[in-house]
Amino acid sequence: MNWNSHEFIWIDWVIIVVGILAVTWAVWRSIQKDKRLQQGANSEDYLFGKGEPWYIIGAAIFAANIGSEHLVGLAGTGAKSGVGMAHWEMQGWMILILGWLFVPFYQLMNVKLGKIITMPDFLKYRYTPATGSWLSIITLIAYVLTKVSVTAFTGGIFMESLLGLPFWFGAIGLIVLTGIFTVLGGMKGVMTLSAIQTPILIIGSFLVLFLGLSTLGAGSISDGWTHMIEYAKTLNIGTDGVAHGTNHMFHFETGDPMYDDYPGFWVFIGASIIGFWYWCTDQHIVQRVLGQRKGESSEEVMRRARRGTIAAGYFKILPVFMFLIPGMIAAALSARPESGFVLDNPDTAFGSMVKFVLPAGVKGIVTIGFISALVASLAAFFNSCATLFTEDFYKPMFKDKSEATYVLVGRIATIVVVILGIVWIPIMQSLGSLYDYLQGIQSLLAPAMVAVFALGIFSKKITPKAGETAMIVGFIIGMVRLLTNILTNTGKDVMSGWYWECTAWFWQTNWLIFEIWLLVFLIVLMVVVSFFTPAPTAKQIEAITFTDDYKTLIKQSWNKWDVITSIGVVVLCALFYIYFW
């Protein structure tokens, strides 16, 4: 047997089949045990879970974020443009904001409303019912048209590069498999699968990292790292013939070909806006920390959720080393014909590295973790869609239905999302660079979310109509900008006509700078509208007002170790920025 084969051999396929059956059995057993404990179906348990330990919460947050866009897009971006995309990944510090700042607010809402809230619940309570409904609609559209489809599309590419499956077999198979898993497993299934796949995914990816560096360095990992950095410095050649390099995160010179993608400090601010929306206000992530055990106090909920976010903060530092750096290694290896490694398409970088550097047998084990990661990530999107539809549309209209009915409706909503995701894939294929498109969509949606949530929590003077107006106006502006991006090739084409010349400032502005100014505009808009519309009621203000007793609970929910470990996350992120400045 050739243990160093660069392709899958029979033992890898045997391990994959046995491993998938074992994971399926473990998830099924966990779900059956949970059903016996809860003694009957409950919609909140199905949609939110029942309050997992902090380390499971951390793993679930991490797993919900890791999808095929990382296995394909992040590694591919590393191969093409180095560490620039790390701004979107080195955000463990942002997850701490969720745990330390937003969790107490969300838990306060849980206490006041007497139930686990969704993000639209918060906006309905703080602003107007229409504001929450708009968020639900925008989120559902975003999930179907970007999250689900992008994950499935890039999943198909990954399956093709790794296992040799035809693209559509991999893409549709992933969606169907995940849809069945989500319908049958609910949040408990997602949480269990996350706990299983996270260690496999981390260990497998780091094996690819270290073995890749060893291969590049002729047996020396440190030499491999040096060769990777030196090769990255020779890339990104400008019109002046100077190599600006891809080994740094900030690109300050306008002559740098990557300046338009990562313009100076603007890229850090723009990435932080997207991160604030995603990590602190997106139902997909926040849902991981909202579960509560029966009889559990607010103090216990906050402590467990906060520690889960701290764990996730450490996990979030890993993807750069798990996916982006291996992409850079792949590019450096492919530049050496004697290595035998070929990289025709950057998007196949990670799958190609798995086949090239891992020994037989290990390929199969690692692949199980990757498939589980794809399913867990996509299942989290499906589950969030089911939650939003059930909690924000169906329950308000049909309040007297049984819990079993609510669970069924959530499952039907999941099936609808699966179908829409499959239908949208061919359209996504015609839209050019998928990963850039995904980031572009997020940059257009994030400003409205950040403005509405941040001012809604931090200001008692912002009126209900101000929040509703910003949500609608921000969404409309974002969609108009998206339309101009499609028509003008993201502002790169030369457009003739007086209307294009008059609006050039709108469609030609760098996408990150546009995102920042859109946020500023929406904040100013909310302040102005607040001067001319009725003030929030005492009940709405109460939603963001902590009583002395509640402040005491918050203080009792953390200790010095929570602070020390949180500082550790920030320090690690800062050190990464210093090294790759």
Side-chain angles (χ1 to χ4, degrees):
M1 183 186 299
N2 182 11
W3 294 98
N4 295 318
S5 172
H6 295 320
E7 300 294 335
F8 278 75
I9 61 176
W10 67 268
I11 192 171
D12 294 304
W13 291 109
V14 170
I15 289 174
I16 289 173
V17 172
V18 173
I20 290 176
L21 291 175
V23 170
T24 302
W25 174 82
V27 172
W28 176 85
R29 185 173 179 273
S30 177
I31 293 171
Q32 294 304 311
K33 180 180 178 181
D34 187 64
K35 285 182 178 180
R36 288 194 298 270
L37 291 175
Q38 63 174 290
Q39 296 179 347
N42 179 280
S43 61
E44 284 197 352
D45 288 340
Y46 173 78
L47 298 171
F48 293 99
K50 294 176 61 180
E52 303 290 347
W54 62 266
Y55 50 88
I56 297 296
I57 293 175
I61 293 174
F62 174 74
N65 172 239
I66 298 301
S68 55
E69 68 269 22
H70 285 79
L71 301 176
V72 175
L74 188 56
T77 301
K80 289 182 289 187
S81 56
V83 294
M85 191 56 70
H87 287 284
W88 280 263
E89 296 303 318
M90 195 53 54
Q91 290 195 336
W93 62 275
M94 185 65 73
I95 308 178
L96 298 179
I97 296 177
L98 169 64
W100 283 94
L101 181 61
F102 280 86
V103 163
F105 278 104
Y106 295 147
Q107 180 57 24
L108 180 67
M109 294 287 291
N110 291 343
V111 173
K112 291 183 181 297
L113 295 181
K115 67 167 188 173
I116 300 175
I117 66 164
T118 61
M119 296 302 95
D121 280 335
F122 173 82
L123 295 186
K124 289 176 182 178
Y125 195 86
R126 175 61 180 88
Y127 294 111
T128 65
T131 310
S133 297
W134 268 96
L135 176 60
S136 295
I137 293 170
I138 294 171
T139 303
L140 286 170
I141 292 174
Y143 282 172
V144 172
L145 302 186
T146 61
K147 305 290 189 182
V148 173
S149 298
V150 166
T151 302
F153 180 78
T154 52
I157 295 176
F158 180 73
M159 294 294 189
E160 186 176 33
S161 66
L162 183 62
L163 302 179
L165 294 176
F167 168 79
W168 280 106
F169 278 53
I172 295 180
L174 178 63
I175 284 187
V176 173
L177 174 64
T178 307
I180 295 172
F181 173 83
T182 310
V183 168
L184 299 178
M187 180 54 67
K188 183 62 180 179
V190 174
M191 289 290 198
T192 304
L193 187 60
S194 299
I196 294 172
Q197 62 90 6
T198 298
I200 300 176
L201 182 67
I202 293 174
I203 294 172
S205 297
F206 274 98
L207 279 175
V208 173
L209 170 67
F210 291 128
L211 291 177
L213 288 173
S214 178
T215 302
L216 184 61
S220 171
I221 292 176
S222 60
D223 287 348
W225 182 272
T226 301
H227 291 321
M228 179 194 72
I229 296 296
E230 291 302 317
Y231 176 73
K233 290 179 180 179
T234 67
L235 303 178
N236 192 29
I237 301 175
T239 55
D240 55 0
V242 175
H244 294 271
T246 62
N247 59 307
H248 49 99
M249 298 174 68
F250 291 98
H251 298 263
F252 295 102
E253 301 175 15
T254 55
D256 187 332
M258 292 176 60
Y259 177 82
D260 288 340
D261 293 323
Y262 312 104
F265 283 115
W266 294 98
V267 64
F268 176 79
I269 301 173
S272 298
I273 292 172
I274 294 175
F276 187 92
W277 161 53
Y278 181 79
W279 293 110
C280 299
T281 70
D282 193 327
Q283 184 70 37
H284 170 61
I285 295 298
V286 174
Q287 189 169 324
R288 314 275 89 77
V289 302
L290 291 181
Q292 179 172 333
R293 299 186 183 104
K294 293 179 181 179
E296 189 175 37
S297 67
S298 295
E299 175 189 341
E300 293 169 328
V301 172
M302 284 186 285
R303 178 185 297 114
R304 183 167 46 78
R306 183 183 298 109
R307 290 177 180 175
T309 59
I310 294 172
Y314 282 99
F315 281 137
K316 186 54 185 169
I317 295 171
L318 303 180
V320 168
F321 299 96
M322 294 167 59
F323 307 114
L324 189 146
I325 299 297
M328 295 177 66
I329 297 171
L333 271 176
S334 66
R336 295 183 172 186
E338 70 276 10
S339 69
F341 181 81
V342 179
L343 184 65
D344 296 325
N345 179 2
D347 286 338
T348 65
F350 197 80
S352 299
M353 285 289 289
V354 169
K355 289 195 298 184
F356 190 79
V357 302
L358 293 184
V362 178
K363 287 187 182 72
I365 296 173
V366 171
T367 300
I368 294 169
F370 293 151
I371 294 175
S372 297
L374 300 181
V375 172
S377 178
L378 199 54
F381 289 128
F382 289 162
N383 191 270
S384 295
C385 289
T387 301
L388 287 173
F389 183 82
T390 304
E391 296 292 322
D392 298 316
F393 291 106
Y394 190 81
K395 272 191 177 181
M397 292 186 293
F398 304 96
K399 298 180 180 179
D400 299 324
K401 298 295 183 179
S402 66
E403 289 295 325
T405 300
Y406 292 137
V407 171
L408 177 62
V409 170
R411 289 174 172 169
I412 294 174
T414 301
I415 294 173
V416 172
V417 170
V418 170
I419 295 173
L420 292 175
I422 294 174
V423 170
W424 185 249
I425 288 178
I427 303 174
M428 294 293 291
Q429 286 182 293
S430 66
L431 295 177
S433 178
L434 197 60
Y435 203 70
D436 291 341
Y437 173 76
L438 173 61
Q439 297 299 336
I441 288 289
Q442 291 178 331
S443 73
L444 297 175
L445 295 175
M449 307 297 183
V450 172
V452 171
F453 273 90
L455 291 188
I457 285 177
F458 295 122
S459 174
K460 299 177 183 179
K461 296 183 179 180
I462 296 297
T463 64
K465 276 298 179 183
E468 180 181 335
T469 301
M471 183 68 74
I472 297 173
V473 171
F475 178 67
I476 292 175
I477 292 176
M479 292 303 99
V480 172
R481 166 74 181 206
L482 175 60
L483 179 61
T484 62
N485 285 347
I486 295 173
L487 296 176
T488 67
N489 188 23
T490 318
K492 296 176 183 177
D493 291 346
V494 177
M495 308 299 291
S496 59
W498 65 267
Y499 44 90
W500 289 111
E501 295 174 0
C502 292
T503 59
W505 60 271
F506 181 86
W507 56 272
Q508 282 189 333
T509 301
N510 177 276
W511 66 288
L512 287 165
I513 297 175
F514 180 89
E515 174 195 21
I516 296 168
W517 283 115
L518 177 57
L519 174 61
V520 173
F521 168 75
L522 292 176
I523 291 174
V524 173
L525 177 65
M526 291 180 70
V527 172
V528 172
V529 171
S530 295
F531 280 114
F532 302 99
T533 53
T537 65
K539 185 178 180 181
Q540 289 171 313
I541 294 301
E542 183 185 29
I544 60 173
T545 303
F546 289 159
T547 63
D548 291 337
D549 290 341
Y550 200 78
K551 290 178 181 178
T552 301
L553 283 177
I554 295 175
K555 292 178 181 178
Q556 293 174 345
S557 69
W558 58 269
N559 58 31
K560 66 177 182 179
W561 293 110
D562 296 316
V563 176
I564 291 172
T565 51
S566 295
I567 292 174
V569 173
V570 176
V571 169
L572 289 174
C573 291
L575 289 175
F576 185 90
Y577 267 91
I578 292 172
Y579 183 84
F580 287 106
W581 184 266

